[in-house]
Amino acid sequence: MTTSSKDILNSIRTIENLIKIIKRDNLKNSDKDHFKQIMSLSLRQLEALRILSSLVMTNEKGISLKDLAKNLDIGLPSASVLVESMVKKKLFVRKENPADRRSICITLSEEGERKYRILSQRFEKRIYELFSHLNAEETEAFCQIISKLSKNTHNN
């Protein structure tokens, strides 16, 4: 059996949809306390929380508004409004950039870190449940394929 490029594209779309469903279900299937804690945020705000959390891991001083906008694939004005809303919710902190006083650095607040941990733990649990339907060989093959594709993407 030969796999066509159409089959590959359909599989990629399926993975994209699966990730969207997992993210959505992560919120819908939450207990009431978790739902109240997390659902005070829009999906865009949740994505900003996730992205900022991963970016701050490599840059503890924070990231620029421009970098956040780029990673969210939105314009600077939209990113500015988004950051302002997250600062008001006490999830992000804006600080003067020590390297350039004309710009700011954005980091997670303690509350932002707490909410991200809650969200992340729920997401990891959902992924574990999903992968529990695969045997060890299937899981290993999946991880190897994703790793190989990722390496090839970064080399181009």
Side-chain angles (χ1 to χ4, degrees), residues 61-108:
K61 293 179 182 174
I63 64 162
S64 69
L65 182 64
K66 183 178 177 181
D67 286 342
L68 183 61
K70 179 183 170 192
N71 281 276
L72 285 168
D73 198 26
I74 60 176
L76 281 173
S78 296
S80 183
V81 170
L82 177 63
V83 167
E84 181 62 29
S85 71
M86 298 298 274
V87 168
K88 284 181 180 176
K89 291 178 181 270
K90 300 184 183 342
L91 301 175
F92 287 5
V93 175
R94 279 187 298 225
K95 298 184 216 174
E96 188 177 278
N97 185 342
D100 178 4
R101 288 188 172 165
R102 294 172 292 159
S103 67
I104 60 167
C105 286
I106 306 161
T107 61
L108 287 176

Side-chain angles (χ1 to χ4, degrees), residues 8 16 27 29 32 37 41 43-44 47 50 53 55 57 65 67 72 84 94 97 99 112 114 119 124 141:
I8 292 170
E16 288 174 336
L27 299 176
N29 294 332
K32 287 184 181 181
Q37 290 172 349
L41 302 176
L43 290 176
R44 174 68 76 190
E47 186 69 3
R50 184 189 66 76
S53 179
L55 292 173
M57 283 183 203
L65 182 64
D67 286 342
L72 285 168
E84 181 62 29
R94 279 187 298 225
N97 185 342
R114 186 185 73 76
L119 186 65
E124 287 175 21

